[in-house]
Amino acid sequence: MATVTSSSGNTEVVTVRRTEARDVPAISSLFSPFTEDVFGRIDVTYLLELSNLALTLCNEKNEIIAHAAFLDYPNWNITDQAEWEPFLHENYPDNKCTPLNTLFVHLFVAKEGYGAGCSQEIVRKAFILLPDLQFILLFIPAEKRLGFSHSELDLGDVFERIEPAPHSRMERRFTLLACPRHRCHPRLYVRQARMEDYDDLMLIWTPQSETLKETYGEYLLVDLLEREGEENQAAVCEVGGTAVGFMSLCSDVNISLLQECFDLGPFHGLCKPHPEDILEVPRKPSVQGDEDENNQTSQKPEPVSSQNLEHVSAADAAVQKGGAVAVSQTEPLVGNVIDMGTEGSAAPLLETGEDGDLHPVNGGASNVFGIRLFCIDEEYESRSLDFLQYAFNVFPDRDLCVILVPHHVPEFPLIRSFVRAVPSCPSRLGRELYVFHRAGLLTSFNVRKAATSDLEGVKMLIETLSLNENMWNDSKIFTESRKDPDGMPLQAFVAEVLDQVVGVAVTRDEMDTEYIRSHYNIEDFIHFNHHQQEEHGHLFHFVLNPVFHHYAKYFLKEILRLGHKSSLYYPIYPEYVEGKFQHPCAHSLTSALHYMAPVRPRRQIVYPLQELGVSAPSEQVSKDQLKYSLNLINRKLVLESKVCINSRIVVVGASDVGISFLETLIFWPRLKFNNLTLISIHGLPGNDPQSSKYRRFLINSHCFNDEDYAQMSLCSWVNVVVGKMTSINRGAKYVVVSEEKVPYDYLVLCTGQSYQALAPMGEYISEVTSQWPQRYTEKVPSNLFTLNDAQDCLEAARWLEEHRLIRSTGNIIVYGNTIDTYTTVEALLSFGIDGSRIHLVRAPLGSASPCLPEAALERAVGEALAGAGVVVHPDSVLAQWGHGDNGLITWAAFTTASSLLHLQCSAFFSFAYRTLDYDIFKAVIDACLVFDGRVVIDTEFHTNDASIRAAGPLTKFSRRYYRDELTHSNFNSKEIGFELAASMLSLFDSTPRPSSEPPEGSDRLIPVYRRCKVQGGILPGGYNYLHISKPGIPVPLGVELDPYDRGTEIVTGEASHGNYFKIHFSRYNMVDSITCFSKEPFPVSNYICLYGQHERLLNDLYYRWGAGQLTDLYSYFREPWSLAIYHDRFIDLQKELHQILMSEEVPGQQPRLKPGRPSLREPVLRYLRHHRAQLPMYAPTDAYRLLPPAAGSQGLKLGRAGGSGSSSSPTPAQEPS
């Protein structure tokens, strides 16, 4: 906070923050009669779209009293944005402005009388936010053109006038004002520390003592001051003769420990080059790797030395998989864990450790010193980098500076200019390592368009990259023809320091903007209509030496400026897509991805293209192409750094809950999580397209599919440990996976429940006892399958093919009592297995729900099974099985109520026993986490350990809530994962959010989850099945509901005919369940959108049903009127209309506006107009403006676009709001 004083003597306590879109009206209200004369005609919304930095000043009442917008080129269109530097040096030769250190003011407005104080505060904040910023410039028209003196502008004395060159034409047209940094936030003076500084430093040390202790350990200031010598140095920075900061340095660094715990190949192992260094590491194959991926890493790095910059390392730009972990293909799935972030990195000499892995060692002398302790007054912390020049002067023979920081300590300004080293897995150090190279102090970082003469420098930079051929070819194409083979213009840019190429980037125009706009939430970041088509760019390649990693955002900023772009897009294709650039520097040291924002994909409408005909959306919107993850950088984001979170968050289980949790963290706009780890038996889901086609073995929750995984690209942000957690050490905070320790700060258990191998109960057990079911504790036969995910299904299918069971005569037994038995039987039939060889043995139902929610569906499936020849056996208990010489199950015996069933067996699929995995159970119990049949949690997902959270079907609520029957199993897993992430984000995101005091006692209530639960799959007979239901405890079949609670159901078709569609409405006439059973495929995602909608919104469904107009719900929900409801932005329209109605109906007062067409039509028309590309089947919205409001109209209804009939219908009860 700061205080500004008006010209009349009034004071305001103000805070400075970044400008948001909602500030536009208040900013516009600050315009004065002089604003247009000084800055020209300004569209504030458009200006904010282009601003590199926009700051707003607010008072204690949160009223906006000033605003300034800064861009990286001059205002008034004085010259082309890409040419301003030579223009400035020609007309103002005595300046030191460069694109790296200069911004221009394009707008400044303030409350009357507060201009001087506000301008000074905003400029001061700009210098604090951007440490590399040295000059802020402002062009204003000359006084003769303005017609009044510049002193009347109320800018205070923060700016000074820059004299133009003699005879410059600019003198008559414009006046250049400049504010150099030293006027507001001068560079700090750094010197050697003395004992006399003790009293000054204690004023800083004492308030920060606890934080310093957590960050650096136990130190006494007096010891650090007295211990100075050749290896230990101490420095202070002073302002006005008073010490305001302290840094303790040490040249004795344990290099071998750091080499063991971090990937230091790009920094030559923190050692000086040695003639005997070996710079290649043999690679191990990876489950997730392929030949193309293996070629994407560096092989031979060059040493980095500031004295010999022609040998700057190119290995630092290696394309690596971001710290992901996988296992060797030659080892079992539960085997050694390998850090993919280091396997492709170059290293010095090779040494074999105790575990047989190769570790880098180096024969050269140490090339590093460390920062032992650092503290500085908060007011000056943005100038922390001023210490480093002195530090490198103290150790002239060392080129690298390192600092170790605990994971939980937020990134402070000093280390934001350092490079974060990629940790090994597992790292026993428990800290983050940051590295800074001496050459990073150079400020002659210049970006320009590439020229033919740069090719040799580019070749040297990228020669150690496996993708160097692609980059080299694109660079040559640019210099030769400026176009790619498709005729699309290319642009290439190089970054140079001291005339040496240290970075290269290749871009082209993005021509697929309509597809991007319709398939990704791009408008979360930009107002699309304010950008021209040619302003969108596609980033092909980006390589930068890690020495200058802290300049990456400036490199991107210059690409945008020089290329006249406002946005750059970067796609990441899945690993299995050949010929595409995958693994794009996910966490490599020179990654542009670090500064880019991942863009969340949008849910798509499934269009009935044949029925729509010419009214269908354009091919750019509806085309089916390879899915990819999209990343974005634009002018607004390029100087806005995310808050980096280094806390180690370990997620156990790749369930829907776990994936939803990770997805939420990845796409959270203000935070970047550096240490997300997923522990999963089969790694990341969706990485193997072969396993996807076998997913039909199991019922589908429709939370995620392969397209979703491709558009998330979890492998770019999440480390993956392949294996099973077997132990939790709560004291030391690590879990054990395949005998390897994986440390955590926060552990999230999301394993869910899985099918377990069932133990035979004995020959004479004829009924279910309390001991049934039990887990099989011996070695599981290889022909006993418990399918829990797509990889299990793939392995089962391969086993059947390898053992030739598809065409043989052996029996296949499917045993269980869940719907997965039906989907598995259908999958086996689809492989060509004769139905007479398949035996479906039903397990006792017990407390489980029936397979299907409708008796008619059960009958139809039973008829299909009989027609295929599948033998169905009634409730039976597995009694015994027999093994052959090869250890396989050769026969199985079941007891029923009347007899003993004995079956020959070639393969056995078991779906009878679903519970918590035994290893997970044992780990939970041994860790003394409270367990009551499931892991016990509270409403905020906490276990009895503050660092461990749990969610999903493996959990239950504590008994103090008195709702033992209600668990996460009753709710939508994707929603549970989102809420789990939201509950943890408060630990890291300090952004204030609007909140209200929770009602008293709400901490004793179970949360209300609202999303529907979904089941879908293909059942015997080829029936496509879908069941959408409300969350909560399902009502058993045959239970009679109170007539008041029964609601209404509408059914078309018959199950036996394969055209069954049932939709059920609650007593409030809202859709609360949908059941589809069809021979033909149907758009599941569309139908999910119907859940929770009112029948009136569904084109007066009650009326049409009662009038006999409705005979087929499948065709009804394919009609054009319904497509707006399937749009992902429809919920926003509903909220807006709801707010309008609520504002018109004030309790106890007459409505200010009559609800109806005049008040509701405009939001609907705006919605249709804005989404015209996705909804072209609706009449042009301008046509509605010609229609007069109908008397007594109930508003413009989307259903009218394609429906017919009267609006009369049963009067619905009012739903509670």
Side-chain angles (χ1 to χ4, degrees), residues 385-397:
L385 211 60
D386 294 344
F387 271 100
L388 291 186
Q389 185 68 61
Y390 176 86
F392 280 104
N393 290 339
V394 169
F395 299 105
D397 60 328

Side-chain angles (χ1 to χ4, degrees), residues 373-665:
L373 184 143
F374 173 72
C375 65
I376 191 170
D377 191 307
E378 186 177 350
E379 183 178 351
Y380 303 99
E381 64 178 355
S382 67
R383 298 304 307 166
S384 302
L385 211 60
D386 294 344
F387 271 100
L388 291 186
Q389 185 68 61
Y390 176 86
F392 280 104
N393 290 339
V394 169
F395 299 105
D397 60 328
R398 308 291 171 98
D399 289 332
L400 297 166
C401 173
V402 298
I403 182 171
L404 285 165
V405 180
H407 293 285
H408 66 274
V409 174
E411 281 193 344
F412 43 92
L414 176 66
I415 60 175
R416 288 175 191 158
S417 297
F418 282 55
V419 178
R420 176 178 171 268
V422 177
S424 304
C425 184
S427 172
R428 64 185 177 91
L429 194 57
R431 294 189 167 220
E432 293 287 341
L433 176 69
Y434 288 84
V435 186
F436 189 91
H437 194 280
R438 177 189 296 273
L441 295 171
L442 298 172
T443 58
S444 58
F445 186 85
N446 180 48
V447 180
R448 57 174 173 79
K449 289 188 176 180
T452 305
S453 57
D454 296 317
L455 285 178
E456 190 60 34
V458 171
K459 186 175 183 180
M460 290 180 61
L461 178 71
I462 66 174
E463 64 181 352
T464 58
L465 302 181
S466 61
L467 285 175
N468 61 63
E469 187 175 341
N470 293 4
M471 299 181 191
W472 174 246
N473 289 339
D474 287 341
S475 301
K476 285 199 302 182
I477 289 172
F478 169 77
T479 58
E480 293 170 0
S481 63
R482 301 293 199 270
K483 294 181 179 179
D484 65 13
D486 297 332
M488 191 63 61
L490 282 178
Q491 290 183 309
F493 305 90
V494 294
E496 58 180 3
V497 175
L498 302 180
D499 298 324
Q500 179 186 328
V501 174
V502 297
V504 60
V506 179
T507 69
R508 75 170 189 183
D509 288 352
E510 178 57 73
M511 302 307 296
D512 222 1
T513 53
E514 264 318 313
Y515 179 85
I516 288 175
R517 185 182 186 184
S518 61
H519 285 72
Y520 298 88
N521 281 307
I522 202 70
E523 290 179 290
D524 287 351
F525 302 94
I526 64 174
H527 288 281
F528 210 86
N529 293 333
H530 287 286
H531 300 264
Q532 302 297 319
Q533 170 71 42
E534 61 273 12
E535 290 184 304
H536 300 277
H538 184 107
L539 183 61
F540 266 112
H541 304 295
F542 185 95
V543 179
L544 182 63
N545 192 293
V547 169
F548 307 102
H549 171 76
H550 56 295
Y551 288 144
K553 58 185 177 182
Y554 292 100
F555 192 3
L556 290 166
K557 180 176 76 69
E558 286 299 280
I559 293 171
L560 292 169
R561 181 180 69 87
L562 298 174
H564 295 81
K565 303 297 181 191
S566 60
S567 302
L568 286 176
Y569 304 99
Y570 192 65
I572 305 174
Y573 287 88
E575 298 174 13
Y576 53 78
V577 178
E578 296 183 3
K580 294 290 184 180
F581 186 24
Q582 303 133 14
H583 303 313
C585 310
H587 284 157
S588 69
L589 298 177
T590 53
S591 169
L593 207 61
H594 180 86
Y595 295 100
M596 302 185 87
V599 186
R600 188 183 288 273
R602 294 177 61 178
R603 188 187 68 246
Q604 296 300 300
I605 302 172
V606 181
Y607 294 99
L609 296 177
Q610 189 171 359
E611 288 92 333
L612 289 175
V614 295
S615 297
S618 66
E619 187 180 351
Q620 285 80 6
V621 173
S622 62
K623 66 180 177 182
D624 186 18
Q625 67 175 45
L626 288 172
K627 304 302 179 185
Y628 54 81
S629 168
L630 184 69
N631 299 274
L632 162 79
I633 190 70
N634 62 17
R635 290 180 179 272
K636 288 192 297 184
L637 297 175
V638 75
L639 294 182
E640 183 176 354
S641 299
K642 287 189 173 186
V643 178
C644 289
I645 306 299
N646 288 325
S647 295
R648 297 164 296 183
I649 301 176
V650 176
V651 180
V652 182
S655 62
D656 289 338
V657 173
I659 297 300
S660 178
F661 171 80
L662 292 171
E663 177 193 33
T664 306
L665 296 187

Side-chain angles (χ1 to χ4, degrees), residues 33-41 75-79 87 92 139-150 152-153 161 169-176:
F34 299 139
T35 302
E36 186 172 330
D37 297 332
V38 176
F39 297 102
R41 186 169 294 176
N75 54 325
W76 281 107
N77 291 324
I78 291 173
T79 183
F87 166 84
Y92 302 90
F139 279 99
I140 59 175
E143 290 184 350
K144 290 183 179 180
R145 295 181 62 192
L146 280 176
F148 54 86
S149 171
H150 290 161
E152 299 180 41
L153 296 179
R161 188 174 185 272
R169 291 181 300 172
M170 292 302 297
E171 185 173 13
R172 296 191 303 273
R173 299 174 56 208
F174 292 95
T175 297
L176 177 60

Side-chain angles (χ1 to χ4, degrees), residues 29 222 377 379 520 567 693 718 724 745 763 893 902 918 961 1004 1132 1146 1185:
S29 69
V222 66
D377 191 307
E379 183 178 351
Y520 298 88
S567 302
K693 64 182 180 181
V718 179
K724 182 186 287 188
D745 295 307
E763 184 174 356
H902 191 283
Y918 177 75
Y961 299 110
R1004 298 191 296 272
D1132 298 329
V1146 180
R1185 300 183 185 278

